[in-house]
Every structure is written in C-alpha cells, then in structure tokens.
C-alpha cells in the first residue's frame, strides 16, 4: 500500500467481449463477469462464508480455495474474503483485491485457459443465489451518514423554512453525522415501524406512539478500508486507497420523530431503528469505467479548501451510475402489478466526491477502520422525478403520490416495500448493477 | 435474566467494617474492598487480561481462575471478565456479576475464611498498578453522547443566543447524538489538537487549521449490557438490567469547528477526534449505596411521558457522586504545583436518570449491545464553580480563568492535562472512586 498511487484503471476484466461459462452471467443486468461483487452468504443449511455474485449464481470462495484455484496475492485476498465478514479483505488494501478480481475474471471467463477444469468443479463452486441467504458483507464498525446530495439538502432547507435553504457551511463542509452501526441490516430484513416522541404544531405537548411519517432515503453506501491511525489524517490524493466499494443504502427515517428531537444536536432515534444495505460489495475496480469528472458543483460555487481539492479527484472522482427507488404495496402485490418507480437519479448528483468525504472525515484525526460504512446522504435529482424521499415527494405530507394500483401515499404504510437499485451504463462497456436494496414495513 | 427484577441492593460487600488483607486497600480513596471495579490491563511484558483494582494493586483474573478460586456463577463471570475485553461479562447480565463481586469480596477480605490460602498466592495474583498498562475495558460497539446535564444545556443555549436557552424538546426528550466509537481511548492516551474548518464571524470564508478553541467536557460514561434485539425496546422498569457500570468520560470538543460544522445535523468532527474514559468499570453493584431519588427535575417541570416514567427509578435512579475536573499545565508541572480544580459538580445534576437514557435509546427499536458506551452529556452544576467545560467557564473565550501558576486560560493549550475524578461518599459507608480519567494535549 505505502507509496502506491491508485487511480482508476480499466483493464482486461472490463473487456466487453469477455463472456462467462456461467450461462446466466451473459446478459445479466447486474452480475455479468465484468462485475464480480463480493459478499457473504449461506447456502441452504450452511454457515456464512464469502462469495462472488455471477449471473444467478454465487461462487463459493472457501470451496474455490479448497480446490486450489488461487495462489499468491489473489489467494491472500480470497482467504480474507472467505469468512463470515469481508472486514479482513477490506483491511488488505487494493493490490490483493485487484489480483483476486483478475483471477476470478479468468476463472469464470468463457475463454479462460482453465475453463474445462473449473467448469467441472461447478457443482461444488456455484450455488443458486435464489436458494441462499445473503448477509451483511461486513461487521460494521462505525456508520457515518453524509448530506452530500445537494438537491436533497436544498429541499430539506426549503421544508425547514430556511432562507437561503442551504446552511452557510454547505458548500465548504461535507456535512455529516454519526449514525448507528448496530441497526444496519441486509436487504430483505423487515423494517418495524418505530415508536417515538413527536409533537405536531397544534399539540401543546408531545405524545408517544408509532411513527406517522415513515420515510425512505435513496443513498449510496460506501465501504471503507484499510483506514488510518487515530490522530493521523488521509490526504485527498490518497483517499481513494481507502474506499473498497459501494452498495445502495436506505436510510429509513421517522420524519415526525426527527422534527421534534433533532434540536440542537441532530437526528438520533429518527434514523437509528434500521438502515438497509444491498448485500453485494461492488468494488471500485468494477466501477472504474463509470468514473467521470465531478460536475455537481457549479463552476461559480466557492472552490473547496485546499485539503479537499485534488485535480485527479476532480477529473475522475464522480460516478455515472443511474439509481432508482421503487415502491411495491400490498395491493400491488395482490394485483400482480410491478413495483412503481418513485424516483430516478444518478450518483453524479453528489456535491462532494467520495474521496472528499474520506479526507474530511479524517482531517481532524478521526480514525477510519476496515468495515466502516458511509452513507452519501439522499441523492435527489434537481427535478421532482428524482426526489429520493417521501419528505420531498409529498412535501412533508402536503401532497399525495398517486400509484398505479389506484392508491396514494404521502409516507410509507405497513406492507409497503421499497427497492433501491443502481445500474452503471456506458457505451462500449458491459452494464453492471448493485443488486436490490429491499425492505418491507412489517 | 428473564423475569428477574433488579433493584439497588446493599449487601455484605458494602459492609464498612470489612477490610482487606491487601494493605493499601484499607483507607484507599478509590479502590477499597467495597469497590472492586473491573478492567483490562497488561502487566509489564504481558498480554492484556481482565483484572480487579484493589488498593494500589490489580488482581489478575486469569491467575485467580488458574488457582481455582472460583466456582459456579462466579467462575462463569470471572471467565467472561478474564480476556482482552469485558464485552463477554457485559453480555452476561447481573446475576453472574453479583456472584463474582461477592466471591471477590470474600477472597480479598481481611477476615475471609480462605485468607491464609489466598494471601499465599498474592505474588501470582496481584500486580502493582503502577507497573501495569491499563486499556479500554471493552471493545466499544457504539458510543452515544447524551445532553442530560441541564445546566450545561442551559449555558449552551445562552451562548447560542436561544431564548429561552433550552430547546422546546429538552424536558421531554433525552436529547442525544451518536458519536464515534473508534476514537474512544483509555486514560493517559495523549490527545492531538485536531485540525478543522472554522469560520469566525468576521471572516468571509472558512479556513482550515489547528483548533483554536479546544475544550474538555466533564461527563459520566455508562457501560451497557446485555442489550436488546433490533426492533424490540427496553421498558423503563427493566432498564437497570442493561447498565453494567460507570466510568468518567471526557468528551474533548473543538468549539470553533463545532460552531461552523453543526448546522443542520449536529456535531461531527468537533467531537470525534478523541474521547477519553477512565479505565475501571465501577459496577452498579458497587454504587448501590450511593443511589438517591431523582432530584434534578423541578417538581413543576412537565412530567415525562409514560414510557420514561417509573416510580422505583424516580426513587433510586440518581447517583450521589461528587465529580470534578482539574487542570495541570506545563508550568504547573515545572513548578511542582498540584492540579487546579476547574469544576466541582455531582452526578445528581443529571436531568434524566440512566434508566431513562436506556429506555429512550431503545424506544424506537434501536438495539443496544454489550460494550456500548453512553456519555451523559456535560454535568455542570448550577453555579460557575461547577461548570464542566471551558466554553461555559470562559463564556466561549470572552473571560479568562486565572490559574495558581500565574497563567490564564480561555481554552486548552498544548501541554495542558485535564483530569476528571469521581468520588462516592455517604455517611456509614466506605467512599469509593472511579480512578483518573486523564488526557494531555500533545
């Protein structure tokens, strides 16, 4: 790691001509052989272990290790990714991870030199994803939620009656708060409507009961490693070395509780009852073709302070990845209607790059650790079709969203399921996806 | 644990007539045989392990286990407390912990039936504290900082220009924010002055550099276990079962950074560069004689909502423990002057009981886990002699504090050391202390 300069690298693992001998990988909307996201899963009746999503299958890393398919740096990374959490892999840094990616790409390629041997092992190497349980990819050390979606921050300021809507620090400080690590759950975990204190404007005193304004938030999740020692900081030019990969993240929010509790120290119970993440760690290597120049900061906005500025980061620090939030109600399921898209946005609406988030987090000496998780903040698009929360879509409950089932919503009702998705698309490359981030209100 | 009702119990381990065969325990201001706090330490050249402070010695739990001094529930607890963290002990709940306390009290008592046998083992059982390193007592899962010191909250509101100074939610909501677990350090760890962004009122734009308003905060730390499952909550009548013990906690704060960064989501980097805790876990059992009725809420304040109200908790939920913050500067050390007391307060100034903090934290379904840490918030007394931070003492730098060395302070300077102490005193009982919570600005 020391001395190594990491920059976005497109290599043979991104070759659009490469197919896989796993038939469902070819043309798979999320997990072609160009993606190779890592995760933790349990086959039916089995223990949690590390795996790689390929088409509608999961490659079993302990089984592949046992078959002797890895050596050198790739073996080191495969061992670190084979256990019940990916924290050891996150601690390793980039080089072993890249070696593992290259080796996995070769092993799974249709034209790989060892195809015949590997394909023969398929019954022990591959599991049907549909028959497996997926878990959190890491034991989350600490979870920090940023506020880097500027259109969401603007909309929140309008609702709060701030004029101007953005706080004076917004274009200088990557605003964030620490959130709760223990309640981060993998996609598919039911979400219980929280109780809480809230006080409506017309009430003399608060009351306590089930949340009346239960909301979702469309966010990017960022998995961190290897991190820094307490008292040190990570300069912006080295920040990319500490970002392992991405997921989608739903920062469920109790808006009525939030409104009442958050002065003067910020949101607390309104955000800590559940946070859902998609279970696959889509590596920064897989995302290399989808990097682009940072564009969410208008040219006439103040230039960030020096510690947050790096020319390379400005050139390739953003990601062009389409994201969306969909809803499926009980009635929609009954009627066989497909999920309805509530919002469609793009990761490149983030005002701050991921490197800027990392550097800011450590600029005072706070130590990041392998398995730390960042949320980006809600990534709304400028226009209403891309607003990533009900608070924005319904103007805090003042407008209703009509659904194809004939129902309407201002906030989430019991039985509603929210699905977040991400898809990276670029001409000349094979599209990849993040896998569903899904949660149903119990 | 299930079905058990825990209430403050004074038993033979608190007998003021009981002395110890460890000579320095008798009359020790902090660690007499009535205290028996648990911690993690390393003897010179040895590995971290669990121990018990007794006078100026530490009892080595693995050595005591190897000598066969425990059986039954006490052995179960001793094993859980013998490793490199106390998290396994925190997970066990009250009964094994009480059994361990009773057994330790008997083993160390001057009139214990096995005194001769145990005293003969002293060379292997006891280490000189001065020759040992002390560590964090637990791997901190999550760290939550409350705002339950009402006089501090009031003073902060005055400085922020709020009228009235307390936010409208203060007397209903135990206000809190999630803080950073990774940067919690044990007493004695140097504290590096953080860099950060700040903007003075007369600046057009923020700049970045070393904190100019580095502050301490005089807080109680609360160690949590066993905790609750995600989606469940801990009713107020059961909350005490999930509090293992206490420590002192210094929530180092960068006030200039905090002022600029904290809108709209609360403090972040201003609080996450270091949090110092005293290394000994003073159990709730040791503190039983020092419980008292909750008194910090004036009778004409609004009654808390039902979920936060329990008659037993009101009768015995507060702790009468004197706390103080002292400063020692470079010049004071050079001149051989003793540390100077900046603030003298008492745990009973907390507006909310510890049980109310636990119940509120879980009322929306957030899961607590063994090894979670709460900070109480700064526990200032009503008058200036008990203000527990420089922000209060110097009115955010507008007044100077004169020191016996002839120096003055508005905030912390490099080389300053802050020491927090706690002492529980009650007629008819032996006083106990928490051990120093000490940190020097590097």
């Amino acid at each position: 790691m020391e001395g190594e300069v990491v920059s976005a690298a497109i290599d043979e693992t991104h070759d659009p001509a490469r197919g896989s001998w796993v038939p469902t990988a070819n043309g798979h909307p999320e997990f072609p052989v160009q993606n190779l996201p890592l995760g933790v899963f349990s086959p039916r009746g089995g223990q949690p272990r590390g795996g790689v999503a390929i088409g509608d299958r999961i490659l079993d890393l302990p089984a592949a290790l046992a078959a002797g398919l890895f050596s050198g740096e790739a073996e080191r990374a495969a061992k670190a990714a084979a256990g019940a959490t990916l924290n050891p892999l996150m601690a390793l840094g980039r080089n072993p991870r890249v070696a593992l990616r290259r080796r996995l790409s070769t092993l799974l390629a249709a034209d790989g030199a060892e195809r015949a041997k590997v394909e023969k092992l398929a019954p022990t190497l591959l599991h049907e994803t549909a028959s497996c349980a997926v878990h959190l990819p890491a034991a989350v050390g600490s979870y920090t939620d940023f506020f880097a979606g500027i259109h969401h921050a603007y909309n929140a300021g309008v609702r709060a009656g701030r004029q101007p809507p953005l706080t004076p620090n917004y274009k200088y400080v990557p605003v964030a708060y620490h959130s709760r690590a223990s309640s981060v759950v993998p996609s598919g975990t039911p979400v219980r409507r929280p109780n809480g204190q809230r006080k409506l404007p017309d009430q003399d005193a608060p009351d306590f009961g089930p949340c009346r304004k239960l909301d979702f938030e469309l966010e990017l999740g960022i998995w961190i490693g290897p991190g820094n020692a307490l008292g040190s900081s990570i300069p912006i030019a080295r920040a990319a070395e500490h970002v392992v990969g991405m997921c989608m993240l739903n920062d469920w929010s109790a808006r009525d509780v939030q409104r009442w509790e958050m002065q003067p120290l910020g949101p607390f119970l309104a955000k800590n009852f559940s946070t859902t993440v998609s279970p696959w760690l889509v590596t920064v290597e897989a995302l290399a073709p989808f990097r682009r120049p940072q564009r969410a900061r208008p040219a006439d906005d103040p230039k960030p302070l020096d510690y947050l500025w790096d020319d390379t980061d400005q050139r390739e620090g953003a990601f062009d990845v389409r994201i969306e939030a969909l809803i499926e109600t009980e009635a929609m399921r009954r009627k066989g209607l497909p999920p309805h898209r509530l919002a469609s946005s793009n990761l490149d609406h983030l005002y701050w790059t991921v490197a800027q988030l990392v550097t800011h987090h450590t600029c005072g000496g706070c130590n990041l650790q392998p398995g730390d998780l960042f949320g980006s903040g809600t990534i709304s698009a400028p226009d209403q079709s891309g607003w990533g929360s009900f608070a924005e879509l319904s103007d805090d409950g003042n407008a209703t969203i009509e659904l194809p089932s004939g129902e309407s919503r201002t906030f989430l009702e019991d039985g509603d399921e929210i699905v977040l998705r991400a898809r990276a698309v670029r001409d000349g490359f094979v599209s990849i996806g993040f896998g569903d981030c899904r949660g149903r209100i119990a």
Side-chain angles (χ1 to χ4, degrees), chain A residues 399-410:
Chain A
T400 54
I401 293 97
E402 306 301 327
L403 303 179
S405 52
E407 301 169 283
S408 66
R409 287 290 182 275
T410 52

Side-chain angles (χ1 to χ4, degrees), chain A residues 335-357:
Chain A
K335 294 180 186 175
L337 294 169
H340 171 71
R341 183 185 297 117
L342 290 169
S344 177
S345 183
N346 194 300
L347 296 189
D348 73 357
H349 289 304
L350 288 173
Y351 192 79
W352 300 102
T353 67
V354 172
Q356 288 172 321
L357 305 185

Side-chain angles (χ1 to χ4, degrees), chain A residues 26 60 74 134 162 209 226 231 303 326 339 355:
Chain A
N26 303 313
D60 187 309
V134 287
R162 269 195 296 275
K303 187 182 171 187
L326 306 102

Side-chain angles (χ1 to χ4, degrees), chain A residues 281-282 435:
Chain A
L281 183 150
V282 178

Side-chain angles (χ1 to χ4, degrees), chain A residues 130 275 313:
Chain A
T275 303
D313 183 48

Side-chain angles (χ1 to χ4, degrees), chain A residues 307-328:
Chain A
Y307 78 101
L308 292 174
W309 188 268
D310 178 74
D311 288 333
T312 305
D313 183 48
Q314 291 298 309
R315 265 199 315 276
E316 58 181 48
F319 293 89
D320 180 9
V321 177
R322 301 174 190 171
I323 56 175
E324 58 181 5
L326 306 102
I327 188 169
E328 188 185 69

Side-chain angles (χ1 to χ4, degrees), chain A residues 8-11 14 283-292 319 426:
Chain A
I10 297 176
D11 63 17
H14 304 98
T283 64
V284 286
E285 288 75 31
L287 289 165
F290 310 100
R291 286 178 174 273
R292 57 173 296 158
F319 293 89
R426 179 176 162 193

Side-chain angles (χ1 to χ4, degrees), chain A residues 189-255:
Chain A
T189 307
V191 175
R192 186 178 159 285
R193 180 181 297 272
N195 288 315
Q197 263 196 55
R198 59 275 157 100
K199 182 179 166 300
L200 300 180
D202 61 342
Q203 287 180 309
D204 289 336
D207 61 11
F208 180 81
C211 170
R212 296 193 196 96
K213 292 186 173 180
L214 185 55
D215 205 353
F216 71 96
E217 292 196 323
L218 173 63
E219 301 198 18
L220 173 70
I222 300 151
W223 290 105
I224 299 296
N228 58 310
L230 181 63
S232 74
S233 57
I234 299 176
I236 183 84
R238 306 292 299 265
E241 298 169 36
H242 300 275
V243 180
V244 181
M246 314 281 189
C247 63
M248 292 305 292
L249 184 149
N250 187 343
D251 176 28
W252 304 97
S253 300
R255 299 292 178 201

